[in-house]
Amino acid sequence: MNVPFIDFTEQYQLIKDEVNSGLKTVFEKANFILGKEVVDFENQFARYCDAKYGVGVNSGTDALYLAMAALNLEPGDEVIVPSFTFIATALCVSYTGATVVFADIEDETYNIDPVKLSKIITKKTKAIIPVHIYGQPSNMKEIMILAKKNKITVVEDAAQAHGATYQGKRVGALGDISCFSFYPTKSLGAFGDAGMLVTNDEKIARTAEMLRDYGRSSRYDHKVKGYNSRMDTIQAVVLLEKLKHLDGWNKMRNDAAAYYCQLLKGVKAVTTPTIKSDRTHVFQTFAVRVKNRDKVVESLKKKGISVLVHYPIPLHLQEAYADLGYKRGDFPVSEKISNEILSLPMYPHIKKEQIEYVCDSLKELVK
Ligand SMILES: *Cc1c(COP(=O)(O)O)cnc(C)c1O
C-alpha cells in the first residue's frame, strides 16, 4: 500500500467549483494584489481568531518579520525563541539585527518551556516567540505572566495551529501579535505563498499595513522604509473558501490522530503525542517518538509510507546560527526530540486502512 505524507486531492474536489469561479472574477477584474477578497479574508480570519485586525502578507515568515519590524527592535535587543522549531521563527529576529536567544522545550508538548524561559530573560529581552508546534498551543498563561512582569511583547508563531484553542480561546489573540502561514501544506493552505499577522493592537496593525506595502500611507507618501510583502488576491479567494471547512477538517485530523493513538496504545517503543487538558491540538503534524528513528524512516519508506522529520537539527546547532556560539548539550530536550521525532502521514481525508497499514508497519519495525 502507498500512503502519501499529505494528499489534498479530496479537499480540492470539495472547493473546486467555488474557487474556480472566484478566480475567474479576479482574472476578469485584474485586481491581483490586495484586492477586495484580501480585505474580506483579513476580516474573516481575524474574526475566526477572535481578534480585531488581520494584515494579509505574502508568507508566514514575512508575517513574523513584519511583527518584529513593528516592534522597532535595535541591535543589542534580544528575542527569545524555542530551539526546536522551523528556522523562520529565528530568521525573522535576525533580519532586524536583534539577537536570537534560544530556550529549550518541554519534553511533553515540545513547546517552549516557561521555566527555562524565565531564567534567560534579561533587561535586553524585547520579545518572546512561542511556537505552537505541530498544532498544540504553548503554555500561554505562564508565558503571558512572565511577559507582563518584564514588559516583553509576545508574538505567537501560529503557523501550525490555525483553529487550536487554549483555555477555551482560539490561538491568534492569546499574545500581543500572532503570525500565521498559509503555505500550501499547512492546515489552512493557499495555492502558493501567503501569511497573516493578527492582532488586537490597532497601532501594530496600521504599522504592519504600511510595512507590507513600501511603508506607504497613501500612494506616493512613504512614512517608513517598508517592504513589498503583500497578499495576492487569488490566494485570498482560495483561503476564503477553505476557511469555511477549517473546523471540519481539524475535526477529521483529530479523528485520524485518535485512531493512530488507539492503534499504537501499549506499544512501548512508540511515544504518541500528549495533549494537555486545557488545550485542543489541531494536528497540523502527527509526530511520534521512536528510538533508531533514521532506520525506521528508511524502512517505512521501503514499505511505501511517506514520512518526514520535523525537525532533525535544532536551531542552536544549525550552521546558520554558529555565530551565536551554542554547542551540543546546551538544550538537551530539543536535542533528544530532534533525534527521536517522526512525522507520520496526516491529512483530513486519510483513510482508516492507511492509518492501520502505517501502524502495523511501525509496530513490526520496532518489535
Ligand atoms: C511554515 C512555518 C513558518 C513559515 O511560514 P512560511 O509561510 O513558509 O514562510 C514559520 N514558523 C513555523 C513554525 C512554520 O511551521
Side-chain angles (χ1 to χ4, degrees):
M1 192 190 288
N2 265 322
V3 188
F5 188 68
I6 284 177
D7 182 354
F8 290 150
T9 45
E10 282 182 69
Q11 248 187 27
Y12 178 57
Q13 291 310 316
L14 285 171
I15 59 167
K16 193 167 79 178
D17 294 344
E18 285 80 2
V19 166
N20 286 352
S21 80
L23 292 179
K24 190 161 164 273
T25 310
V26 177
F27 298 153
E28 283 166 2
K29 289 205 259 171
N31 58 344
F32 294 112
I33 289 169
L34 293 180
K36 174 185 169 297
E37 290 80 359
V38 173
V39 179
D40 289 347
F41 180 60
E42 287 175 336
N43 290 334
Q44 288 196 24
F45 191 71
R47 200 180 321 136
Y48 177 82
C49 297
D50 288 323
K52 287 196 191 131
Y53 309 100
V55 181
V57 294
N58 72 355
S59 69
T61 304
D62 275 24
L64 285 162
Y65 174 48
L66 296 191
M68 290 297 117
L71 299 182
N72 293 314
L73 298 179
E74 287 170 8
D77 290 342
E78 296 176 354
V79 178
I80 300 175
V81 170
S83 49
F84 184 75
T85 174
F86 183 58
I87 195 161
T89 316
L91 289 177
C92 67
V93 178
S94 304
Y95 297 156
T96 67
T99 303
V100 177
V101 177
F102 290 119
D104 209 354
I105 55 166
E106 301 173 325
D107 188 66
E108 247 190 330
T109 65
Y110 318 136
N111 283 327
I112 197 165
D113 185 331
V115 176
K116 290 172 186 158
L117 168 64
S118 68
K119 294 187 178 139
I120 53 173
I121 291 174
T122 70
K123 286 203 173 60
K124 294 184 206 156
T125 309
K126 289 289 153 58
I128 304 169
I129 313 183
V131 181
H132 308 313
I133 202 87
Y134 306 145
Q136 174 163 225
S138 303
N139 187 340
M140 290 303 289
K141 187 170 166 224
E142 294 300 318
I143 293 168
M144 293 312 287
I145 289 171
L146 282 170
K148 284 217 172 73
K149 204 171 93 188
N150 295 283
K151 297 192 170 62
I152 297 169
T153 305
V154 175
V155 177
E156 296 170 69
D157 182 340
Q160 304 183 354
H162 319 70
T165 61
Y166 178 84
Q167 299 184 344
K169 283 192 186 160
R170 279 242 171 79
V171 153
L174 301 169
D176 300 297
I177 309 175
S178 281
C179 297
F180 289 88
S181 164
F182 306 114
Y183 182 75
T185 61
K186 311 283 181 182
S187 324
L188 183 59
F191 287 1
D193 275 311
M196 195 181 291
L197 189 151
V198 171
T199 183
N200 277 321
D201 184 327
E202 185 177 5
K203 207 166 146 241
I204 295 269
R206 297 294 162 250
T207 305
E209 274 170 2
M210 280 199 283
L211 287 173
R212 74 171 167 187
D213 196 20
Y214 303 114
R216 58 165 63 115
S217 58
S218 65
R219 192 162 186 101
Y220 291 114
D221 190 2
H222 302 272
K223 298 285 183 215
V224 288
K225 297 185 193 77
Y227 309 88
N228 177 353
S229 178
R230 303 167 299 200
M231 187 185 276
D232 288 340
T233 315
I234 59 167
Q235 304 307 343
V237 165
V238 173
L239 292 165
L240 273 166
E241 199 49 45
K242 283 196 171 185
L243 181 58
K244 296 179 193 161
H245 297 271
L246 181 59
D247 285 338
W249 287 340
N250 279 345
K251 166 84 172 56
M252 291 163 84
R253 287 176 184 272
N254 261 274
D255 291 346
Y259 197 44
Y260 265 123
C261 292
Q262 181 193 326
L263 297 179
L264 293 170
K265 204 171 170 189
V267 182
K268 281 221 172 55
V270 180
T271 309
T272 52
T274 304
I275 309 168
K276 300 297 256 184
S277 59
D278 61 349
R279 331 185 180 170
T280 60
H281 197 314
V282 289
F283 292 105
Q284 148 78 48
T285 301
F286 183 82
V288 297
R289 278 156 63 185
V290 290
K291 306 270 186 229
N292 297 321
R293 193 261 325 278
D294 295 341
K295 261 177 142 171
V296 172
V297 167
E298 280 319 303
S299 310
L300 288 173
K301 282 185 178 161
K302 280 195 194 114
K303 287 174 171 287
I305 299 167
S306 296
V307 291
L308 290 171
V309 173
H310 302 100
Y311 299 91
I313 307 173
L315 298 190
H316 68 287
L317 300 180
Q318 291 285 354
E319 200 179 330
Y321 279 106
D323 58 327
L324 295 180
Y326 289 101
K327 57 185 188 312
R328 198 169 290 281
D330 283 346
F331 301 112
V333 184
S334 295
E335 291 168 26
K336 182 180 74 172
I337 304 304
S338 297
N339 282 328
E340 298 181 357
I341 205 80
L342 169 66
S343 305
L344 299 180
M346 170 56 82
Y347 47 96
H349 294 87
I350 190 168
K351 303 259 177 316
K352 279 193 142 182
E353 305 84 77
Q354 292 177 311
I355 297 175
E356 286 158 10
Y357 178 65
V358 174
C359 292
D360 287 344
S361 306
L362 188 57
K363 282 192 233 175
E364 185 64 35
L365 286 171
V366 298
K367 214 164 51 192

